[in-house]
Amino acid sequence: MELNNLTLADLRQGWHPTLDGLQCNYCQAHWATGTPEKELVDHLTLVHGGNLAQLIHTDSRYNTLTTKQQDLLTAFSTGIKDQDLAKQLQVAAATIRHQKFTFREKAKQARLYLAIYDAVFDQAANQESPLIDVPTQTGPVDDRFMITEDEAASTLQHYFDFEHQPLRLKRWPKKQKVILTVLTRIIEEVPTNQHFSESAINQLLKPIYFDFVTVRRYLVDYGFLTRTADGHEYWRTTGKE
C-alpha cells in the first residue's frame, strides 16, 4: 500500500480515485467511477480479508502497532464485551479498559499532530513546490533526496530527449542529486508487478542509455529496483512506505 498519495478517507474505505475510475489500495483491482460500493467492499472482504484487517496488519514502517496491540484492536472491532475478552485473555476487565483508554489517548495525539502538520505544511505548500517521491532509503537521508517538483521538471528537461521515442537520456549526470532525479523518470519505463531476468531488464534500459549496466546498478542502489541475491531476477520496488 502506497501511503504517500492516499487520503485519510481513502485509507478508511480501502480504495482510492484514479484518473479513470477507482482502484483498490492493496492490489491492481480497478473499477469504473460509479461502481456500487458493495462491489468494492465485497472485493476487499473476499480478496483481502476486509479493509480493517489490512489496515491493522499492514506491513509498513508507519505501522507501529505491536502484535499484541494488533490482536487487541482486531478483538475490539468484533464488538466483544470487555468482560468476555478479559476472560479469553485471562486478565482483569480493568486491564482491557485501560488498553482502550490508551488507544483513545493515542488517537487524540494523532488528531492534534495532523491538525498541526496540516496547518504548517498547507501554508508552506503555497510558498514552495512540493517534494517528489523517492524510494525509502536504508542509509541516512540527506539533501540529495530533497527534490522539488519544479526542480525535477527542469532537470529532466535538461537531460532527456523527450522528442525521441523510446525515451533517451542525453548524458549521464555527475551529481548524485541529479542522478536520483533522472532515475525517477527512468523507472517509469519499467512495468510494475512484474519480475524480469537480468537480460530482460537490460533490454528495457538499453534504449534509454548506452551504459545500461550503470543505470541498472543505480536503480538498485537507490531502491527503485529490487533484485534477488544472485542477481538473476529484478522487479520494480512498489511504493515508498
Side-chain angles (χ1 to χ4, degrees):
M1 178 170 59
E2 300 182 14
L3 296 177
N4 299 313
N5 300 319
L6 299 179
T7 67
L8 189 57
D10 295 336
L11 291 171
R12 284 174 174 167
Q13 65 190 9
W15 62 84
H16 59 278
T18 64
L19 292 176
D20 58 351
L22 303 169
Q23 183 171 325
C24 175
N25 290 350
Y26 310 105
C27 70
Q28 296 302 310
H30 193 272
W31 304 272
T33 302
T35 298
E37 183 175 320
K38 183 179 184 304
E39 184 175 332
L40 279 63
V41 173
D42 286 347
H43 166 82
L44 289 166
T45 301
L46 295 173
V47 178
H48 303 292
N51 185 53
L52 180 58
Q54 285 291 326
L55 285 176
I56 291 175
H57 300 286
T58 186
D59 183 16
S60 168
R61 67 190 180 97
Y62 297 112
N63 187 355
T64 60
L65 294 170
T66 64
T67 300
K68 180 180 178 181
Q69 289 173 331
Q70 291 177 2
D71 291 342
L72 281 170
L73 287 171
T74 300
F76 291 149
S77 71
T78 66
I80 188 173
K81 294 181 179 179
D82 294 348
Q83 192 69 37
D84 294 336
L85 181 57
K87 289 180 180 179
Q88 287 185 16
L89 300 179
Q90 297 183 338
V91 296
T95 301
I96 301 300
R97 290 194 293 271
H98 176 72
Q99 291 290 344
K100 282 188 173 180
F101 171 80
T102 300
F103 285 128
R104 284 195 296 270
E105 290 300 294
K106 287 182 178 294
K108 293 174 184 177
Q109 292 170 4
R111 283 197 295 270
L112 177 59
Y113 173 78
L114 282 174
I116 294 171
Y117 180 90
D118 287 345
V120 171
F121 289 101
D122 280 355
Q123 178 179 352
N126 294 326
Q127 302 173 6
E128 61 181 37
S129 175
L131 299 179
I132 65 171
D133 291 333
V134 297
T136 301
Q137 303 297 306
T138 56
V141 176
D142 52 37
D143 289 345
R144 284 175 295 173
F145 306 95
M146 304 297 108
I147 306 167
T148 67
E149 291 182 355
D150 290 344
E151 184 180 11
S154 176
T155 297
L156 296 179
Q157 193 66 38
H158 187 68
Y159 278 88
F160 284 99
D161 179 5
F162 287 106
E163 295 183 359
H164 184 275
Q165 292 297 329
L167 183 72
R168 178 177 293 175
L169 181 66
K170 297 177 183 178
R171 62 184 179 280
W172 188 251
K174 295 181 180 179
K175 295 182 179 180
Q176 293 299 307
K177 185 173 185 177
V178 180
I179 291 175
L180 183 60
T181 305
V182 165
L183 294 177
T184 65
R185 178 61 185 86
I186 292 177
I187 194 60
E188 293 180 11
E189 300 300 306
V190 179
T192 58
N193 301 316
Q194 294 186 37
H195 285 225
F196 303 89
S197 65
E198 183 175 290
S199 175
I201 202 72
N202 288 344
Q203 290 302 312
L204 283 173
L205 300 177
K206 189 180 296 185
I208 300 174
Y209 191 61
F210 74 94
D211 189 1
F212 55 88
V213 174
T214 294
V215 177
R216 189 188 70 214
R217 175 169 59 84
Y218 271 100
L219 285 171
V220 172
D221 288 348
Y222 274 119
F224 291 93
L225 284 178
T226 304
R227 66 180 177 186
T228 56
D230 57 14
H232 288 167
E233 194 172 12
Y234 292 76
W235 61 94
R236 182 170 169 176
T237 306
T238 55
K240 174 190 175 187
E241 298 189 7

